[in-house]
Amino acid sequence: MAQRFEYSVETLRSSMVGDKIDSGSVEELLNERAREGWQLKSLIATQVKGRVGPGGTEGLLAVFERPTGIA
């Protein structure tokens, strides 16, 4: 039987308006997800919706994968 996977997608941005993303917070997220059994599949720079006002801000889209049944 083929192995099955589940996925999690997270949007990362640093501040309410658009400061640079802090590498320490990205590292913290990656390590936290790894402890939960997730493996990073892709990390993409993109425009994400800002928390305040219209328009987008620089951000990252992180896609994680893990075999089903891991909690």
Side-chain angles (χ1 to χ4, degrees):
M1 179 188 306
Q3 181 151 11
R4 297 187 184 268
F5 295 92
E6 61 181 328
Y7 296 88
S8 175
V9 178
E10 296 203 32
T11 303
L12 304 159
R13 62 183 162 271
S14 185
S15 74
M16 293 178 16
V17 179
D19 291 341
K20 292 184 180 180
I21 294 174
D22 174 41
S23 61
S25 63
V26 173
E27 182 178 340
E28 185 177 313
L29 173 71
L30 294 176
N31 286 325
E32 182 178 331
R33 294 299 169 266
R35 286 189 291 276
E36 296 169 354
W38 295 101
Q39 178 178 351
L40 181 67
K41 293 303 286 182
S42 65
L43 189 62
I44 304 162
T46 187
Q47 290 283 317
V48 296
K49 182 171 177 10
R51 296 180 191 168
V52 175
T57 185
E58 292 293 321
L60 297 172
L61 189 64
V63 178
F64 297 92
E65 173 187 78
R66 71 179 177 188
T68 55
I70 295 179

